[in-house]
Amino acid sequence: MGILVEGTTHVNVATKSNLDAWIGAAKTPHTWTLDGVAPQATMQVYFGKPRETYFIIDLKTMKILEIINNDVSTAMSNLAARL
């Protein structure tokens, strides 16, 4: 799952239109959502982790199995190894 944070610039919050455009352009097979906005905490605050953090989650138990920071290659290879 990916979380779209920024809109047209890094200071603008992403909108539903930005999300739809991102999904269409990226052609990603993963689920995408918008980041939280006030009064809901952003995902960065909620999880207490910086951006570019990858969580591998067991969807059956909803337990976080692994957290990987700033390394998409390792995150994807570790996910593939669990499949």
Side-chain angles (χ1 to χ4, degrees), residues 18-33:
N18 297 138
L19 178 64
D20 292 341
W22 169 255
I23 291 168
K27 297 182 180 18
T28 176
H30 309 295
T31 299
W32 283 83
T33 188

Side-chain angles (χ1 to χ4, degrees), residues 2-68:
I3 301 168
L4 190 63
V5 176
E6 297 170 358
T8 53
T9 69
H10 71 281
V11 295
N12 293 329
V13 174
T15 65
K16 175 77 165 73
S17 296
N18 297 138
L19 178 64
D20 292 341
W22 169 255
I23 291 168
K27 297 182 180 18
T28 176
H30 309 295
T31 299
W32 283 83
T33 188
L34 292 171
D35 200 7
V37 294
Q40 178 181 342
T42 62
M43 291 296 174
Q44 185 172 337
V45 170
Y46 181 80
F47 285 110
K49 296 288 178 186
R51 290 181 53 176
E52 311 307 327
T53 299
Y54 305 91
F55 294 84
I56 297 178
I57 300 170
D58 180 339
L59 296 179
K60 186 174 182 180
T61 64
M62 295 307 290
K63 292 189 181 204
I64 297 172
L65 302 177
E66 189 173 359
I67 300 172
I68 301 157

